[in-house]
mmCIF file of all heavy atoms in Angstrom:
data_model
loop_
_atom_site.group_PDB
_atom_site.id
_atom_site.type_symbol
_atom_site.label_atom_id
_atom_site.label_comp_id
_atom_site.label_asym_id
_atom_site.label_seq_id
_atom_site.Cartn_x
_atom_site.Cartn_y
_atom_site.Cartn_z
ATOM 1 N N PHE Z 187 7.221 27.591 -33.574
ATOM 2 C CA PHE Z 187 7.944 27.332 -32.444
ATOM 3 C C PHE Z 187 7.150 26.424 -31.400
ATOM 4 O O PHE Z 187 7.674 25.460 -30.988
ATOM 5 C CB PHE Z 187 8.364 28.611 -31.652
ATOM 6 C CG PHE Z 187 8.941 28.378 -30.377
ATOM 7 C CD1 PHE Z 187 10.274 27.979 -30.212
ATOM 8 C CD2 PHE Z 187 8.174 28.449 -29.285
ATOM 9 C CE1 PHE Z 187 10.795 27.734 -28.966
ATOM 10 C CE2 PHE Z 187 8.681 28.188 -27.961
ATOM 11 C CZ PHE Z 187 10.025 27.765 -27.802
ATOM 12 N N PHE Z 188 5.912 26.910 -31.055
ATOM 13 C CA PHE Z 188 5.125 26.164 -30.151
ATOM 14 C C PHE Z 188 4.653 24.785 -30.509
ATOM 15 O O PHE Z 188 4.574 23.961 -29.765
ATOM 16 C CB PHE Z 188 4.006 27.068 -29.629
ATOM 17 C CG PHE Z 188 4.389 28.050 -28.619
ATOM 18 C CD1 PHE Z 188 4.401 29.424 -28.941
ATOM 19 C CD2 PHE Z 188 4.808 27.709 -27.309
ATOM 20 C CE1 PHE Z 188 4.786 30.339 -27.962
ATOM 21 C CE2 PHE Z 188 5.183 28.592 -26.415
ATOM 22 C CZ PHE Z 188 5.148 29.976 -26.762
ATOM 23 N N ASN Z 189 4.455 24.685 -31.854
ATOM 24 C CA ASN Z 189 4.145 23.265 -32.381
ATOM 25 C C ASN Z 189 5.268 22.351 -31.967
ATOM 26 O O ASN Z 189 5.061 21.203 -31.503
ATOM 27 C CB ASN Z 189 3.899 23.273 -33.834
ATOM 28 C CG ASN Z 189 2.460 23.484 -34.233
ATOM 29 O OD1 ASN Z 189 1.577 23.107 -33.498
ATOM 30 N ND2 ASN Z 189 2.220 24.160 -35.321
ATOM 31 N N SER Z 190 6.483 22.723 -32.318
ATOM 32 C CA SER Z 190 7.625 21.951 -32.023
ATOM 33 C C SER Z 190 7.782 21.720 -30.513
ATOM 34 O O SER Z 190 8.073 20.652 -30.026
ATOM 35 C CB SER Z 190 8.971 22.576 -32.644
ATOM 36 O OG SER Z 190 10.111 21.888 -32.287
ATOM 37 N N PHE Z 191 7.785 22.824 -29.733
ATOM 38 C CA PHE Z 191 7.881 22.748 -28.307
ATOM 39 C C PHE Z 191 6.949 21.860 -27.655
ATOM 40 O O PHE Z 191 7.328 20.978 -26.824
ATOM 41 C CB PHE Z 191 7.827 24.204 -27.696
ATOM 42 C CG PHE Z 191 7.992 24.274 -26.191
ATOM 43 C CD1 PHE Z 191 9.304 24.177 -25.701
ATOM 44 C CD2 PHE Z 191 6.994 24.390 -25.367
ATOM 45 C CE1 PHE Z 191 9.516 24.255 -24.409
ATOM 46 C CE2 PHE Z 191 7.176 24.476 -23.975
ATOM 47 C CZ PHE Z 191 8.458 24.477 -23.429
ATOM 48 N N LEU Z 192 5.660 21.876 -28.041
ATOM 49 C CA LEU Z 192 4.654 21.151 -27.412
ATOM 50 C C LEU Z 192 4.795 19.595 -27.807
ATOM 51 O O LEU Z 192 4.574 18.727 -27.022
ATOM 52 C CB LEU Z 192 3.299 21.545 -27.725
ATOM 53 C CG LEU Z 192 2.864 22.907 -27.113
ATOM 54 C CD1 LEU Z 192 1.490 23.404 -27.596
ATOM 55 C CD2 LEU Z 192 2.866 22.800 -25.504
ATOM 56 N N LYS Z 193 5.271 19.297 -29.072
ATOM 57 C CA LYS Z 193 5.407 18.052 -29.479
ATOM 58 C C LYS Z 193 6.600 17.281 -28.811
ATOM 59 O O LYS Z 193 6.624 16.133 -28.640
ATOM 60 C CB LYS Z 193 5.574 18.012 -30.982
ATOM 61 C CG LYS Z 193 4.230 18.196 -31.734
ATOM 62 C CD LYS Z 193 4.459 18.163 -33.273
ATOM 63 C CE LYS Z 193 3.160 18.418 -33.901
ATOM 64 N NZ LYS Z 193 3.331 18.545 -35.457
ATOM 65 N N THR Z 194 7.616 18.080 -28.555
ATOM 66 C CA THR Z 194 8.887 17.393 -27.972
ATOM 67 C C THR Z 194 8.921 17.545 -26.483
ATOM 68 O O THR Z 194 9.735 16.906 -25.839
ATOM 69 C CB THR Z 194 10.082 18.179 -28.510
ATOM 70 O OG1 THR Z 194 10.048 19.623 -28.172
ATOM 71 C CG2 THR Z 194 10.257 18.092 -30.001
ATOM 72 N N MET Z 195 7.934 18.207 -25.827
ATOM 73 C CA MET Z 195 7.746 18.296 -24.401
ATOM 74 C C MET Z 195 7.392 16.883 -23.805
ATOM 75 O O MET Z 195 6.540 16.300 -24.292
ATOM 76 C CB MET Z 195 6.734 19.355 -24.107
ATOM 77 C CG MET Z 195 6.627 19.646 -22.598
ATOM 78 S SD MET Z 195 5.492 21.044 -22.305
ATOM 79 C CE MET Z 195 3.948 20.307 -22.801
ATOM 80 N N PRO Z 196 8.110 16.531 -22.715
ATOM 81 C CA PRO Z 196 7.727 15.263 -22.096
ATOM 82 C C PRO Z 196 6.244 15.339 -21.666
ATOM 83 O O PRO Z 196 5.715 16.456 -21.278
ATOM 84 C CB PRO Z 196 8.602 15.181 -20.747
ATOM 85 C CG PRO Z 196 9.776 16.044 -21.275
ATOM 86 C CD PRO Z 196 9.229 17.126 -22.061
ATOM 87 N N GLU Z 197 5.563 14.206 -21.714
ATOM 88 C CA GLU Z 197 4.127 14.121 -21.553
ATOM 89 C C GLU Z 197 3.702 14.787 -20.258
ATOM 90 O O GLU Z 197 2.598 15.552 -20.268
ATOM 91 C CB GLU Z 197 3.651 12.713 -21.538
ATOM 92 C CG GLU Z 197 2.095 12.516 -21.505
ATOM 93 C CD GLU Z 197 1.772 11.072 -21.613
ATOM 94 O OE1 GLU Z 197 2.406 10.370 -22.383
ATOM 95 O OE2 GLU Z 197 0.789 10.666 -20.920
ATOM 96 N N ASP Z 198 4.328 14.586 -19.092
ATOM 97 C CA ASP Z 198 3.922 15.186 -17.851
ATOM 98 C C ASP Z 198 4.530 16.452 -17.450
ATOM 99 O O ASP Z 198 4.447 16.901 -16.301
ATOM 100 C CB ASP Z 198 4.126 14.222 -16.772
ATOM 101 C CG ASP Z 198 3.196 12.929 -16.884
ATOM 102 O OD1 ASP Z 198 2.117 13.174 -17.439
ATOM 103 O OD2 ASP Z 198 3.511 11.918 -16.340
ATOM 104 N N MET Z 199 5.340 17.103 -18.408
ATOM 105 C CA MET Z 199 6.053 18.331 -18.011
ATOM 106 C C MET Z 199 5.090 19.361 -17.595
ATOM 107 O O MET Z 199 5.368 20.190 -16.596
ATOM 108 C CB MET Z 199 6.883 18.763 -19.123
ATOM 109 C CG MET Z 199 7.872 19.885 -18.744
ATOM 110 S SD MET Z 199 8.994 20.497 -20.035
ATOM 111 C CE MET Z 199 7.888 21.859 -20.647
ATOM 112 N N HIS Z 200 3.981 19.524 -18.268
ATOM 113 C CA HIS Z 200 3.063 20.639 -17.817
ATOM 114 C C HIS Z 200 2.505 20.562 -16.407
ATOM 115 O O HIS Z 200 2.271 21.541 -15.729
ATOM 116 C CB HIS Z 200 1.875 20.741 -18.888
ATOM 117 C CG HIS Z 200 0.891 19.618 -18.729
ATOM 118 N ND1 HIS Z 200 1.249 18.415 -19.319
ATOM 119 C CD2 HIS Z 200 -0.282 19.464 -18.208
ATOM 120 C CE1 HIS Z 200 0.171 17.564 -19.096
ATOM 121 N NE2 HIS Z 200 -0.658 18.208 -18.388
ATOM 122 N N LYS Z 201 2.476 19.237 -15.944
ATOM 123 C CA LYS Z 201 2.043 19.030 -14.513
ATOM 124 C C LYS Z 201 3.101 19.471 -13.559
ATOM 125 O O LYS Z 201 2.834 19.756 -12.362
ATOM 126 C CB LYS Z 201 1.796 17.612 -14.334
ATOM 127 C CG LYS Z 201 0.460 17.145 -15.081
ATOM 128 C CD LYS Z 201 0.233 15.574 -14.961
ATOM 129 C CE LYS Z 201 -0.968 15.123 -15.737
ATOM 130 N NZ LYS Z 201 -1.113 13.688 -15.687
ATOM 131 N N ALA Z 202 4.410 19.477 -13.979
ATOM 132 C CA ALA Z 202 5.496 19.838 -13.148
ATOM 133 C C ALA Z 202 5.725 21.416 -13.135
ATOM 134 O O ALA Z 202 6.552 21.834 -12.364
ATOM 135 C CB ALA Z 202 6.763 19.202 -13.519
ATOM 136 N N PHE Z 203 5.015 22.113 -13.972
ATOM 137 C CA PHE Z 203 5.208 23.536 -14.112
ATOM 138 C C PHE Z 203 4.896 24.245 -12.773
ATOM 139 O O PHE Z 203 3.845 24.030 -12.181
ATOM 140 C CB PHE Z 203 4.344 24.140 -15.253
ATOM 141 C CG PHE Z 203 4.453 25.606 -15.494
ATOM 142 C CD1 PHE Z 203 5.504 26.139 -16.156
ATOM 143 C CD2 PHE Z 203 3.522 26.481 -14.875
ATOM 144 C CE1 PHE Z 203 5.623 27.448 -16.339
ATOM 145 C CE2 PHE Z 203 3.625 27.810 -15.048
ATOM 146 C CZ PHE Z 203 4.701 28.301 -15.771
ATOM 147 N N HIS Z 204 5.813 25.153 -12.356
ATOM 148 C CA HIS Z 204 5.606 25.910 -11.102
ATOM 149 C C HIS Z 204 6.374 27.207 -11.281
ATOM 150 O O HIS Z 204 7.496 27.297 -11.711
ATOM 151 C CB HIS Z 204 6.381 25.118 -9.931
ATOM 152 C CG HIS Z 204 6.434 25.909 -8.659
ATOM 153 N ND1 HIS Z 204 5.283 26.125 -7.895
ATOM 154 C CD2 HIS Z 204 7.462 26.572 -8.097
ATOM 155 C CE1 HIS Z 204 5.618 26.908 -6.941
ATOM 156 N NE2 HIS Z 204 6.957 27.121 -6.987
ATOM 157 N N ILE Z 205 5.631 28.297 -11.092
ATOM 158 C CA ILE Z 205 6.096 29.703 -11.005
ATOM 159 C C ILE Z 205 6.852 29.912 -9.781
ATOM 160 O O ILE Z 205 6.310 29.801 -8.685
ATOM 161 C CB ILE Z 205 4.949 30.692 -11.278
ATOM 162 C CG1 ILE Z 205 4.420 30.497 -12.626
ATOM 163 C CG2 ILE Z 205 5.573 32.146 -11.080
ATOM 164 C CD1 ILE Z 205 3.137 31.374 -12.914
ATOM 165 N N MET Z 206 8.156 30.237 -9.842
ATOM 166 C CA MET Z 206 8.934 30.581 -8.659
ATOM 167 C C MET Z 206 8.814 32.037 -8.367
ATOM 168 O O MET Z 206 8.935 32.447 -7.228
ATOM 169 C CB MET Z 206 10.454 30.156 -8.999
ATOM 170 C CG MET Z 206 10.609 28.691 -9.169
ATOM 171 S SD MET Z 206 12.149 27.977 -9.625
ATOM 172 C CE MET Z 206 13.310 29.329 -9.977
ATOM 173 N N TRP Z 207 8.727 32.952 -9.474
ATOM 174 C CA TRP Z 207 8.608 34.376 -9.190
ATOM 175 C C TRP Z 207 7.977 35.010 -10.399
ATOM 176 O O TRP Z 207 8.291 34.604 -11.441
ATOM 177 C CB TRP Z 207 9.999 34.860 -8.907
ATOM 178 C CG TRP Z 207 10.047 36.363 -8.566
ATOM 179 C CD1 TRP Z 207 9.804 36.970 -7.379
ATOM 180 C CD2 TRP Z 207 10.401 37.423 -9.490
ATOM 181 N NE1 TRP Z 207 10.013 38.303 -7.542
ATOM 182 C CE2 TRP Z 207 10.304 38.706 -8.817
ATOM 183 C CE3 TRP Z 207 10.724 37.465 -10.889
ATOM 184 C CZ2 TRP Z 207 10.591 39.836 -9.394
ATOM 185 C CZ3 TRP Z 207 10.986 38.746 -11.413
ATOM 186 C CH2 TRP Z 207 10.890 39.857 -10.744
ATOM 187 N N GLN Z 208 7.120 36.016 -10.143
ATOM 188 C CA GLN Z 208 6.708 36.866 -11.296
ATOM 189 C C GLN Z 208 6.394 38.228 -10.875
ATOM 190 O O GLN Z 208 6.067 38.441 -9.738
ATOM 191 C CB GLN Z 208 5.447 36.229 -11.927
ATOM 192 C CG GLN Z 208 4.154 36.433 -11.133
ATOM 193 C CD GLN Z 208 2.997 35.852 -11.865
ATOM 194 O OE1 GLN Z 208 2.988 34.753 -12.457
ATOM 195 N NE2 GLN Z 208 1.797 36.608 -11.970
ATOM 196 N N GLU Z 209 6.578 39.106 -11.745
ATOM 197 C CA GLU Z 209 6.339 40.547 -11.476
ATOM 198 C C GLU Z 209 5.762 41.196 -12.726
ATOM 199 O O GLU Z 209 6.161 40.837 -13.781
ATOM 200 C CB GLU Z 209 7.639 41.157 -11.076
ATOM 201 C CG GLU Z 209 7.507 42.711 -10.707
ATOM 202 C CD GLU Z 209 6.825 42.893 -9.424
ATOM 203 O OE1 GLU Z 209 6.991 42.013 -8.523
ATOM 204 O OE2 GLU Z 209 6.161 43.913 -9.260
ATOM 205 N N THR Z 210 4.781 42.076 -12.553
ATOM 206 C CA THR Z 210 4.134 42.796 -13.626
ATOM 207 C C THR Z 210 4.218 44.223 -13.327
ATOM 208 O O THR Z 210 4.172 44.739 -12.139
ATOM 209 C CB THR Z 210 2.675 42.388 -13.835
ATOM 210 O OG1 THR Z 210 2.007 42.590 -12.664
ATOM 211 C CG2 THR Z 210 2.586 40.894 -14.277
ATOM 212 N N THR Z 211 4.294 45.036 -14.462
ATOM 213 C CA THR Z 211 4.092 46.471 -14.362
ATOM 214 C C THR Z 211 3.040 46.854 -15.336
ATOM 215 O O THR Z 211 2.295 45.955 -15.732
ATOM 216 C CB THR Z 211 5.432 47.196 -14.653
ATOM 217 O OG1 THR Z 211 5.835 46.911 -16.019
ATOM 218 C CG2 THR Z 211 6.604 46.858 -13.732
ATOM 219 N N ALA Z 212 2.911 48.052 -15.682
ATOM 220 C CA ALA Z 212 1.846 48.462 -16.661
ATOM 221 C C ALA Z 212 1.792 47.605 -17.755
ATOM 222 O O ALA Z 212 0.644 46.983 -18.116
ATOM 223 C CB ALA Z 212 1.996 49.883 -16.974
ATOM 224 N N GLU Z 213 2.835 47.443 -18.533
ATOM 225 C CA GLU Z 213 2.783 46.740 -19.830
ATOM 226 C C GLU Z 213 3.862 45.616 -19.993
ATOM 227 O O GLU Z 213 4.027 45.065 -21.006
ATOM 228 C CB GLU Z 213 2.923 47.657 -21.000
ATOM 229 C CG GLU Z 213 1.713 48.562 -21.229
ATOM 230 C CD GLU Z 213 1.902 49.381 -22.516
ATOM 231 O OE1 GLU Z 213 2.936 49.996 -22.685
ATOM 232 O OE2 GLU Z 213 0.906 49.363 -23.337
ATOM 233 N N THR Z 214 4.479 45.248 -18.823
ATOM 234 C CA THR Z 214 5.496 44.150 -18.834
ATOM 235 C C THR Z 214 5.202 43.246 -17.805
ATOM 236 O O THR Z 214 4.588 43.529 -16.739
ATOM 237 C CB THR Z 214 6.941 44.844 -18.689
ATOM 238 O OG1 THR Z 214 7.019 45.406 -17.449
ATOM 239 C CG2 THR Z 214 7.245 45.795 -19.752
ATOM 240 N N ALA Z 215 5.803 42.011 -18.064
ATOM 241 C CA ALA Z 215 5.719 40.920 -17.088
ATOM 242 C C ALA Z 215 7.043 40.133 -17.208
ATOM 243 O O ALA Z 215 7.479 40.014 -18.307
ATOM 244 C CB ALA Z 215 4.526 39.997 -17.349
ATOM 245 N N HIS Z 216 7.507 39.655 -16.101
ATOM 246 C CA HIS Z 216 8.710 38.783 -16.016
ATOM 247 C C HIS Z 216 8.339 37.600 -15.221
ATOM 248 O O HIS Z 216 7.774 37.773 -14.058
ATOM 249 C CB HIS Z 216 9.808 39.465 -15.464
ATOM 250 C CG HIS Z 216 11.096 38.604 -15.413
ATOM 251 N ND1 HIS Z 216 11.725 38.258 -16.570
ATOM 252 C CD2 HIS Z 216 11.759 38.058 -14.427
ATOM 253 C CE1 HIS Z 216 12.784 37.501 -16.268
ATOM 254 N NE2 HIS Z 216 12.827 37.377 -14.932
ATOM 255 N N VAL Z 217 8.596 36.334 -15.685
ATOM 256 C CA VAL Z 217 8.223 35.105 -15.007
ATOM 257 C C VAL Z 217 9.471 34.222 -14.892
ATOM 258 O O VAL Z 217 10.156 34.009 -15.950
ATOM 259 C CB VAL Z 217 7.131 34.403 -15.720
ATOM 260 C CG1 VAL Z 217 6.708 33.145 -14.971
ATOM 261 C CG2 VAL Z 217 5.840 35.310 -15.860
ATOM 262 N N VAL Z 218 9.760 33.702 -13.751
ATOM 263 C CA VAL Z 218 10.862 32.715 -13.450
ATOM 264 C C VAL Z 218 10.100 31.515 -13.093
ATOM 265 O O VAL Z 218 9.237 31.493 -12.130
ATOM 266 C CB VAL Z 218 11.803 33.132 -12.431
ATOM 267 C CG1 VAL Z 218 12.883 32.117 -12.229
ATOM 268 C CG2 VAL Z 218 12.437 34.508 -12.889
ATOM 269 N N TRP Z 219 10.359 30.446 -13.800
ATOM 270 C CA TRP Z 219 9.505 29.083 -13.507
ATOM 271 C C TRP Z 219 10.441 27.904 -13.618
ATOM 272 O O TRP Z 219 11.635 28.064 -14.023
ATOM 273 C CB TRP Z 219 8.406 29.082 -14.467
ATOM 274 C CG TRP Z 219 8.843 29.219 -15.959
ATOM 275 C CD1 TRP Z 219 9.014 30.330 -16.581
ATOM 276 C CD2 TRP Z 219 9.160 28.105 -16.787
ATOM 277 N NE1 TRP Z 219 9.371 30.027 -17.983
ATOM 278 C CE2 TRP Z 219 9.453 28.691 -18.040
ATOM 279 C CE3 TRP Z 219 9.142 26.776 -16.721
ATOM 280 C CZ2 TRP Z 219 9.789 27.942 -19.226
ATOM 281 C CZ3 TRP Z 219 9.440 25.988 -17.815
ATOM 282 C CH2 TRP Z 219 9.859 26.546 -19.000
ATOM 283 N N LYS Z 220 9.922 26.713 -13.308
ATOM 284 C CA LYS Z 220 10.571 25.550 -13.345
ATOM 285 C C LYS Z 220 9.558 24.491 -13.657
ATOM 286 O O LYS Z 220 8.432 24.613 -13.399
ATOM 287 C CB LYS Z 220 11.348 25.204 -12.211
ATOM 288 C CG LYS Z 220 10.603 24.890 -10.973
ATOM 289 C CD LYS Z 220 11.449 24.614 -9.817
ATOM 290 C CE LYS Z 220 10.593 24.436 -8.473
ATOM 291 N NZ LYS Z 220 11.459 24.040 -7.317
ATOM 292 N N ALA Z 221 10.047 23.366 -14.167
ATOM 293 C CA ALA Z 221 9.190 22.123 -14.427
ATOM 294 C C ALA Z 221 10.113 20.972 -14.148
ATOM 295 O O ALA Z 221 10.514 20.199 -14.994
ATOM 296 C CB ALA Z 221 8.690 22.171 -15.827
ATOM 297 N N ASP Z 222 10.404 20.814 -12.874
ATOM 298 C CA ASP Z 222 11.333 19.685 -12.430
ATOM 299 C C ASP Z 222 10.769 18.363 -12.651
ATOM 300 O O ASP Z 222 9.527 18.161 -12.507
ATOM 301 C CB ASP Z 222 11.697 19.824 -10.977
ATOM 302 C CG ASP Z 222 12.798 20.838 -10.660
ATOM 303 O OD1 ASP Z 222 13.638 21.031 -11.581
ATOM 304 O OD2 ASP Z 222 12.819 21.411 -9.526
ATOM 305 N N PRO Z 223 11.522 17.370 -13.120
ATOM 306 C CA PRO Z 223 12.866 17.379 -13.385
ATOM 307 C C PRO Z 223 13.354 17.798 -14.803
ATOM 308 O O PRO Z 223 14.484 17.730 -15.114
ATOM 309 C CB PRO Z 223 13.297 15.941 -13.028
ATOM 310 C CG PRO Z 223 12.079 15.145 -13.613
ATOM 311 C CD PRO Z 223 10.922 16.034 -13.301
ATOM 312 N N PHE Z 224 12.397 18.152 -15.574
ATOM 313 C CA PHE Z 224 12.648 18.396 -16.979
ATOM 314 C C PHE Z 224 13.363 19.743 -17.235
ATOM 315 O O PHE Z 224 14.251 19.808 -18.049
ATOM 316 C CB PHE Z 224 11.333 18.385 -17.805
ATOM 317 C CG PHE Z 224 10.505 17.248 -17.522
ATOM 318 C CD1 PHE Z 224 9.346 17.426 -16.659
ATOM 319 C CD2 PHE Z 224 10.781 15.874 -17.834
ATOM 320 C CE1 PHE Z 224 8.524 16.343 -16.325
ATOM 321 C CE2 PHE Z 224 9.967 14.865 -17.532
ATOM 322 C CZ PHE Z 224 8.838 15.111 -16.770
ATOM 323 N N ILE Z 225 12.819 20.782 -16.633
ATOM 324 C CA ILE Z 225 13.381 22.114 -16.821
ATOM 325 C C ILE Z 225 13.647 22.695 -15.405
ATOM 326 O O ILE Z 225 12.658 23.097 -14.840
ATOM 327 C CB ILE Z 225 12.526 23.021 -17.656
ATOM 328 C CG1 ILE Z 225 12.326 22.436 -19.029
ATOM 329 C CG2 ILE Z 225 13.049 24.414 -17.781
ATOM 330 C CD1 ILE Z 225 11.353 23.161 -19.959
ATOM 331 N N PRO Z 226 14.784 22.722 -14.944
ATOM 332 C CA PRO Z 226 15.031 23.338 -13.569
ATOM 333 C C PRO Z 226 14.989 24.790 -13.515
ATOM 334 O O PRO Z 226 14.822 25.400 -12.421
ATOM 335 C CB PRO Z 226 16.344 22.717 -13.155
ATOM 336 C CG PRO Z 226 17.102 22.377 -14.459
ATOM 337 C CD PRO Z 226 16.079 22.021 -15.437
ATOM 338 N N LEU Z 227 15.065 25.465 -14.642
ATOM 339 C CA LEU Z 227 14.981 26.963 -14.678
ATOM 340 C C LEU Z 227 14.475 27.366 -16.093
ATOM 341 O O LEU Z 227 14.964 26.964 -17.122
ATOM 342 C CB LEU Z 227 16.332 27.484 -14.405
ATOM 343 C CG LEU Z 227 16.354 29.058 -14.479
ATOM 344 C CD1 LEU Z 227 15.494 29.655 -13.389
ATOM 345 C CD2 LEU Z 227 17.799 29.578 -14.320
#
């Protein structure tokens, strides 16, 4: 999955990555993020 995801990802998408919200508990984590303009959510 990640081989394909990284190969098809626009070159500068990782620079646009921004965490909008995250929460962790003992053994769980939830992250809401964006990489505008490529991935708005």
Side-chain angles (χ1 to χ4, degrees):
F187 169 83
F188 279 110
N189 269 329
S190 176
F191 182 76
L192 291 172
K193 285 179 183 175
T194 60
M195 183 172 70
E197 186 176 324
D198 289 335
M199 190 178 94
H200 69 284
K201 293 178 184 176
F203 179 82
H204 172 74
I205 294 175
M206 298 176 351
W207 182 81
Q208 77 179 43
E209 183 68 35
T210 59
T211 62
E213 290 185 309
T214 63
H216 181 70
V217 180
V218 178
W219 55 274
K220 64 182 177 178
D222 278 333
F224 315 105
I225 300 176
L227 178 64

